[in-house]
Amino acid sequence: MEFWFSELHSPHVKFDIRVEKQLFSGKSDYQRIDVFESPEFGKFLTLNGSVIFSEQDCFIYNEMVVHVPMAVHPDVKNVLIIGGGDGGVSKELLQYDNIENIDIVEQDSMFVDVCKEYFPETSIGLDDERVHIYNYDALRFLRSKMNEYDLIINDATDPFGASEGLFTREFYGSCYKALKDDGILVYQHGSPFYDEDEDACRSMHKKVFHTFPISRVYQAHIPTSPSGYWLFGFASKKYHPLKDFKADEWKKRDIYTEYYTTNLHTGAFMLPKYVEELLEQEEK
Amino acid sequence: MEFWFSELHSPHVKFDIRVEKQLFSGKSDYQRIDVFESPEFGKFLTLNGSVIFSEQDCFIYNEMVVHVPMAVHPDVKNVLIIGGGDGGVSKELLQYDNIENIDIVEQDSMFVDVCKEYFPETSIGLDDERVHIYNYDALRFLRSKMNEYDLIINDATDPFGASEGLFTREFYGSCYKALKDDGILVYQHGSPFYDEDEDACRSMHKKVFHTFPISRVYQAHIPTSPSGYWLFGFASKKYHPLKDFKADEWKKRDIYTEYYTTNLHTGAFMLPKYVEELLEQEEK
């Protein structure tokens, strides 16, 4: 049987994953959720038809949003993850003993339940006593927070649809306010290659660049992302991702990774010229 | 009308490009050649059903095989390109005034003709008086060459099929012999993510690592490559790609690029941990 999941990575490019079976399909108050089993990517989850993570490549994303800021900030104790109901990011964070508290704001409780059932190895990251899940709207949750977090990770991917509010100037302002004086915000910056994505990428950089004193973009190769190329934003009140990078101290922590190395950390900020130029145009 | 070109990037992953029309289809003595017009990638050429280059992303490949060695070797005068009948690599090389001669060994003359007809902006790189095209078998051509080239670029992509002979230990040995005492070989190292590609990638590294004193691998993001991720090999008799990297001198040459920067040069050698480990396993 030929059985394929297809996703349009642009209106003119499709990415298809051969599927063995569909394990789950449901509709929450916020979105359609599906889980598939595939020979190449293992199990993978989609929201409204877009791949959110797969067993085979989620390590790249989870490591890149966690270890990059953790190797820069000298003492992260209190973390907020916006989205992140699958537990992948918190699982990665829990490797660090100095982290005392992780708040996860995940509006969609069905998403959390589905992850717990189909991705128990990932959602184990939700079970630790340091982790607290809030089924709130992230924007509302943030409004009451001031000077509280060392690190905020915005796990929301989609500048359209359910999480649209997480890509506004108000949102970045609320993150700024919720961070301590030396806090760092890491967020998904999208894929810069296809024209449609480029616009979202530009607009995001413009907003963050004018909100935070330090705003840098870094990259990773993620096969299930549009064109296989994904950017992350590093917005910071005090620490620079390269000038304040503590490679030797990070190595001493003996953290397990499969993608991140301190060498790769530096390389991830060395962007192609067309991406550099695109970002610089929004910095005026 | 829905009209799609599809390529299997692994037995279980497909990449589809929406097509406006098929511009050419023919069979040479060596392979099937097709040219398509597409809204996302512009015109693109396939050999035996695999995308070889597209107007929209070929700059990445061409720049990465040319500028990385050119910013390391202090005085490249004589270059050999194996494959390269489209002219993209030689066009990039022709920006350097110190290059006196470029030999292109392209067995398939129909491939050259098709490129000249459908990609004149690229194949302009074949018209310069410094460029000489030989419709020979590359292995045979190489056997008579000794201590001749400063730089060899192996543009052949496929370790199976028509260019299989360009991935043998004999081939790398012939390249070594054809290079001067400070010569550099740059070659396509494939994509390391999917299991099928990983084996070819390992085997290639093993052969080159045991043939050349210096053997390093670098990376780029190429949307039409399997999983969007492509590796290049840098094999060298004398110059190290980072220790002998002459960034300031390269900048003074005022070469036009859209992907390569001297910053990216360094970052391209900073590989993900899973790729580092895969290569190290073949270095024993």
Side-chain angles (χ1 to χ4, degrees):
Chain A
M1 183 173 83
E2 295 285 324
F3 189 22
W4 295 85
F5 164 85
S6 295
E7 180 177 353
L8 283 168
H9 275 180
S10 94
H12 310 300
V13 175
K14 239 182 343 189
F15 184 73
D16 315 306
I17 303 174
R18 189 190 292 280
V19 163
E20 263 152 22
K21 52 184 173 174
Q22 186 180 32
L23 301 175
F24 175 84
S25 185
K27 216 173 162 331
S28 75
D29 291 341
Y30 305 97
Q31 51 208 343
R32 175 173 170 166
I33 306 174
D34 291 89
V35 179
F36 301 93
E37 173 76 45
S38 76
E40 191 66 69
F41 289 105
K43 279 183 277 187
F44 65 96
L45 181 142
T46 65
L47 294 180
N48 297 331
S50 288
V51 176
I52 297 301
F53 61 86
S54 84
E55 285 182 328
Q56 283 305 306
D57 74 347
C58 67
F59 69 104
I60 303 175
Y61 171 80
N62 291 332
E63 291 187 19
M64 289 305 277
V65 297
V66 166
H67 304 307
V68 171
M70 289 303 292
V72 171
H73 193 296
D75 191 22
V76 173
K77 288 193 165 67
N78 196 17
V79 185
L80 170 64
I81 308 171
I82 296 165
D86 55 288
V89 174
S90 57
K91 186 183 173 190
E92 208 64 41
L93 283 165
L94 286 168
Q95 290 195 70
Y96 294 86
D97 294 335
N98 54 318
I99 292 179
E100 293 170 0
N101 181 67
I102 300 172
D103 287 342
I104 296 179
V105 186
E106 173 62 67
Q107 196 164 22
D108 191 346
S109 60
M110 187 198 267
F111 176 71
V112 177
D113 294 340
V114 171
C115 291
K116 283 192 172 172
E117 185 166 350
Y118 294 97
F119 301 92
E121 283 180 31
T122 304
S123 70
I124 201 174
L126 304 174
D127 296 338
D128 194 277
E129 57 181 14
R130 289 179 282 170
V131 176
H132 304 92
I133 305 181
Y134 300 89
N135 290 133
Y136 293 173
D137 171 76
L139 267 177
R140 256 193 234 171
F141 181 88
L142 271 171
R143 274 188 203 125
S144 66
K145 301 290 176 186
M146 200 179 283
N147 196 25
E148 225 167 275
Y149 296 103
D150 304 298
L151 172 62
I152 298 177
I153 297 174
N154 182 10
D155 208 9
T157 55
D158 190 0
F160 315 106
S163 50
E164 199 171 343
L166 304 180
F167 293 82
T168 58
R169 198 179 282 252
E170 188 210 342
F171 169 73
Y172 297 113
S174 298
C175 287
Y176 186 93
K177 198 168 56 66
L179 284 168
K180 290 187 189 156
D181 287 344
D182 60 354
I184 296 170
L185 164 68
V186 166
Y187 57 102
Q188 306 216 42
H189 211 299
S191 184
F193 189 80
Y194 298 127
D195 289 348
E196 303 70 26
D197 302 323
E198 189 192 314
D199 292 342
C201 189
R202 280 177 184 278
S203 138
M204 218 182 294
H205 186 60
K206 190 171 198 144
K207 287 171 198 156
V208 178
F209 185 82
H210 294 286
T211 306
F212 282 82
I214 296 164
S215 163
R216 302 281 292 154
V217 169
Y218 62 105
Q219 66 196 343
H221 158 254
I222 302 181
T224 53
S225 295
S227 89
Y229 188 43
W230 199 250
L231 299 180
F232 303 92
F234 182 105
S236 172
K237 291 186 173 185
K238 181 176 172 186
Y239 302 115
H240 188 281
L242 297 175
K243 290 175 202 155
D244 297 302
F245 172 37
K246 295 155 193 79
D248 292 339
E249 287 169 41
W250 187 84
K251 279 182 197 159
K252 279 185 210 142
R253 289 167 182 261
D254 209 22
I255 301 284
Y256 175 78
T257 63
E258 292 176 62
Y259 192 82
Y260 180 87
T261 70
T262 52
N263 211 18
L264 183 109
H265 178 118
T266 307
F269 287 90
M270 294 168 165
L271 303 173
K273 195 173 177 195
Y274 78 94
V275 179
E276 267 185 4
E277 287 180 345
L278 173 165
L279 297 170
E280 276 163 17
Q281 282 162 16
E282 305 307 319
E283 293 176 4
K284 283 160 193 164
Chain B
M1 183 173 82
E2 295 285 324
F3 189 22
W4 294 85
F5 164 86
S6 295
E7 179 177 354
L8 283 168
H9 275 179
S10 95
H12 310 301
V13 175
K14 239 184 338 190
F15 184 73
D16 315 306
I17 303 174
R18 189 190 293 278
V19 164
E20 263 152 22
K21 53 183 174 176
Q22 186 180 30
L23 301 175
F24 175 83
S25 186
K27 216 174 162 331
S28 74
D29 291 342
Y30 305 98
Q31 52 207 342
R32 175 173 171 166
I33 306 174
D34 291 90
V35 179
F36 301 93
E37 173 76 46
S38 76
E40 192 65 69
F41 289 105
K43 279 183 278 187
F44 64 97
L45 182 143
T46 65
L47 295 179
N48 296 332
S50 287
V51 176
I52 297 301
F53 62 87
S54 83
E55 285 182 327
Q56 282 305 306
D57 75 347
C58 66
F59 70 103
I60 303 175
Y61 172 80
N62 291 333
E63 292 187 18
M64 290 305 277
V65 297
V66 166
H67 304 307
V68 171
M70 290 303 293
V72 171
H73 193 297
D75 191 22
V76 173
K77 287 194 165 67
N78 196 15
V79 185
L80 170 64
I81 308 172
I82 296 165
D86 56 289
V89 174
S90 56
K91 187 183 172 190
E92 207 64 40
L93 283 165
L94 287 168
Q95 290 195 68
Y96 294 86
D97 294 334
N98 54 318
I99 292 179
E100 293 170 359
N101 180 68
I102 300 173
D103 288 341
I104 298 181
V105 186
E106 173 63 65
Q107 197 164 20
D108 192 345
S109 60
M110 187 196 268
F111 175 71
V112 177
D113 294 340
V114 170
C115 290
K116 282 192 173 171
E117 184 166 351
Y118 294 98
F119 302 91
E121 283 181 31
T122 304
S123 70
I124 200 174
L126 303 174
D127 296 338
D128 195 277
E129 57 180 15
R130 290 179 280 171
V131 177
H132 304 91
I133 305 182
Y134 299 89
N135 289 134
Y136 294 173
D137 171 76
L139 267 176
R140 257 193 232 172
F141 181 89
L142 270 171
R143 276 188 202 123
S144 66
K145 301 290 176 185
M146 200 180 283
N147 197 25
E148 225 166 277
Y149 296 103
D150 304 298
L151 172 61
I152 298 178
I153 297 173
N154 182 10
D155 207 11
T157 54
D158 189 1
F160 315 105
S163 51
E164 198 170 346
L166 304 180
F167 294 84
T168 59
R169 198 179 282 252
E170 188 210 341
F171 169 74
Y172 297 113
S174 298
C175 288
Y176 186 91
K177 198 167 58 61
L179 284 168
K180 291 190 188 150
D181 287 345
D182 60 354
I184 297 171
L185 165 68
V186 166
Y187 57 101
Q188 305 217 44
H189 212 299
S191 183
F193 189 81
Y194 298 128
D195 290 347
E196 302 72 25
D197 302 322
E198 189 192 314
D199 293 341
C201 188
R202 281 178 183 278
S203 140
M204 217 183 295
H205 186 60
K206 190 172 199 144
K207 288 172 200 155
V208 179
F209 185 82
H210 293 287
T211 307
F212 282 81
I214 296 163
S215 163
R216 303 280 292 153
V217 169
Y218 62 103
Q219 66 197 342
H221 158 255
I222 302 182
T224 53
S225 295
S227 88
Y229 188 43
W230 198 250
L231 299 182
F232 303 93
F234 183 106
S236 173
K237 290 186 174 184
K238 182 175 170 187
Y239 302 115
H240 188 280
L242 297 176
K243 289 175 202 155
D244 297 304
F245 173 37
K246 295 154 193 80
D248 291 340
E249 288 169 41
W250 187 86
K251 278 183 197 159
K252 278 185 212 142
R253 289 167 180 262
D254 210 22
I255 301 284
Y256 175 78
T257 63
E258 292 178 61
Y259 193 81
Y260 180 87
T261 70
T262 52
N263 211 19
L264 183 110
H265 178 118
T266 307
F269 287 90
M270 295 168 164
L271 304 172
K273 194 174 178 192
Y274 79 94
V275 179
E276 267 185 4
E277 288 180 344
L278 174 166
L279 297 170
E280 276 164 17
Q281 282 162 16
E282 305 307 318
E283 293 175 4
K284 283 162 194 160

